[in-house]
Amino acid sequence: MEHLPLFINIKHRPCLVVGGGAVAARKVRLLLARGGRVTVVAPELDAGLQARQAELCWLEQCFAEHHLDGQFLVVAATDNTEVNARVYQLANRRGILVNKADDSKRSAVIFPSIVERFPLQIAFSTGGGAPWLARLLRARLDALLPGHWGELSRVAGKLRRRVQQAFGSSDERRRFWARVQDDVALTTLLQQRDHAGAEAWLRQAMSKPVAGEVILVGAGPGDPDLLTIKALNELQKADVVLFDQLVSDEVLALIRPEAERVAVGKKAGHHSVPQEQINQLLVEHALAGKRVVRLKGGDPFMFGRGAEELQSLKAAGIRYQVVPGITAAAGATAYAGIPLTHRDHAQSAVFITGHCKQDGEEPDWASLAKGRQTLVIYMGLMRSAHIRRQLLHHGLDGNTPVAIIERGTTRQQRVVRGRLQELAQLAEQVASPALMVIGEVATLADSLAWFPPHADTAGTDTMERCG
């Protein structure tokens, strides 16, 4: 790429814009917002520029070479390619920074897409090759970037030296800002632009030790686009991340590169790290003053033993937060085209786990075998024969439709469908992680399936029907 990204101070510097139309108006707006002394050369101005005449110098003329005299930056933004080329050639010959609005490849300077939270700015460019992609990225970043971060950067700049004195290492400073940046009290002060109040609040926060904290985060069912904005924010602030086997590689790739990663590998039937040891690791890292993310597949409170982990943190006096995630029952079924409820088929949905406690305590099978409801079973593959037997014994029709969704919401998603009486045979065709759906709604996958794998996977259909 030919262009080197730089931030250039143009405050009080002379900037020339050749052209008076909409493109020129956009460039003028950017230059004026950053304090440039703007001169516009054009026989006429569009309405937008006319409204800003008091802020700029308008030369109601056609471009001539002498207009370049003394200029720091020049923008060629007319609708005449020959004029733009001449402006570029003359300015380039003089060694003046020049932007040719209709040809980024022949510009010494290009204007990037910008997301602004003054004084915070994020600038990016595709080198003129895909401006639509730059616009899309700008829209995404604009939605992600908290509105108060501009005010936060102002206040942080004023307190930078004080923070350096209060915290001896860069890690301590980072943890301090990670702890306070989204605090409700500070955010309120910043949104009100109460800089004095925000500074006082931060000075008081600096006097307190930066204690460790654990954030219990739901990673969702697999598709990284289903991760919540808050979850992404926490992954970027973490010192340590303890993650389960069900968390996708795409989600793990979003963790702050410098963060320590600890695989605790919990999966039905394979507990490589005992729960007691996981609890202890959370406590130890937090007591060491670290910001710890406990990353769990789906939602941490949906059959994830998240509450047990919080109880251990509570007993140790450690601060914690919970970031919910999209659970597999909602994500995988939606991607398979199976609604959890439907007016004609199911008025309720029941979520259970097929992985029972060691004491063998069983669910209320009589209640689960009732009709006109959707039964969603997590971690049920290993007990599929038992589940089928109990539901049939308690009166559920053997012809009740069922679906098993393997690796839901990922590109490897596969849906196997059949009848309750075939549940054990269907389970043998599927690998973990998988979700069982039992009920009439499973038949709607025939007409509502939309996720690409069901249509474009080579070799075999991902929506298989048995029986």
Side-chain angles (χ1 to χ4, degrees), residues 313-329:
L313 297 172
K314 183 76 173 180
I318 293 171
R319 179 178 171 181
Y320 56 83
Q321 301 180 44
V322 180
V323 180
I326 294 178
T327 186

Side-chain angles (χ1 to χ4, degrees), residues 288-312:
K290 298 178 182 179
R291 189 175 186 87
V292 185
V293 165
R294 174 67 174 105
L295 188 61
K296 304 173 75 71
D299 179 87
F301 280 176
M302 185 63 74
F303 305 123
R305 304 185 74 172
E308 297 175 39
E309 294 173 358
L310 293 190
Q311 287 171 332
S312 67

Side-chain angles (χ1 to χ4, degrees), residues 9-25:
N9 186 347
I10 65 166
K11 189 173 184 179
H12 303 316
R13 295 182 183 271
C15 302
L16 177 69
V17 177
V18 182
V23 174

Side-chain angles (χ1 to χ4, degrees), residues 88-143:
Y88 169 79
Q89 291 168 357
L90 293 173
N92 195 51
R93 189 180 303 162
R94 293 189 180 202
I96 301 173
L97 295 175
V98 57
N99 169 253
K100 191 166 176 278
D102 60 354
D103 186 0
S104 62
K105 296 296 183 184
R106 299 196 62 195
S107 294
V109 174
I110 57 177
F111 283 68
S113 293
I114 301 174
V115 177
E116 302 171 337
R117 299 289 189 272
F118 281 125
L120 175 64
Q121 299 182 77
I122 301 175
F124 48 92
S125 170
T126 63
W132 62 269
L133 183 58
R135 288 193 294 271
L136 177 61
L137 181 57
R138 179 177 60 194
R140 288 194 179 187
L141 289 176
D142 199 43

Side-chain angles (χ1 to χ4, degrees), residues 366-423:
S367 176
L368 297 177
K370 292 180 180 178
R372 300 190 66 78
Q373 68 179 0
T374 303
L375 183 59
V376 182
I377 305 175
Y378 292 72
M379 299 173 286
L381 289 184
M382 296 176 62
R383 288 170 55 85
S384 58
H386 178 74
I387 292 168
R388 176 196 62 187
R389 185 166 54 252
Q390 290 294 337
L391 290 174
L392 292 175
H393 175 73
H394 287 84
L396 191 59
D397 192 329
N399 287 318
T400 301
V402 301
I404 304 179
I405 308 168
E406 176 184 311
R407 300 184 65 84
T409 78
T410 72
R411 297 297 300 183
Q412 295 77 39
Q413 174 176 298
R414 191 166 68 98
V415 182
V416 177
R417 290 188 39 230
R419 301 291 172 178
L420 174 60
Q421 59 195 8
E422 307 158 335
L423 185 60

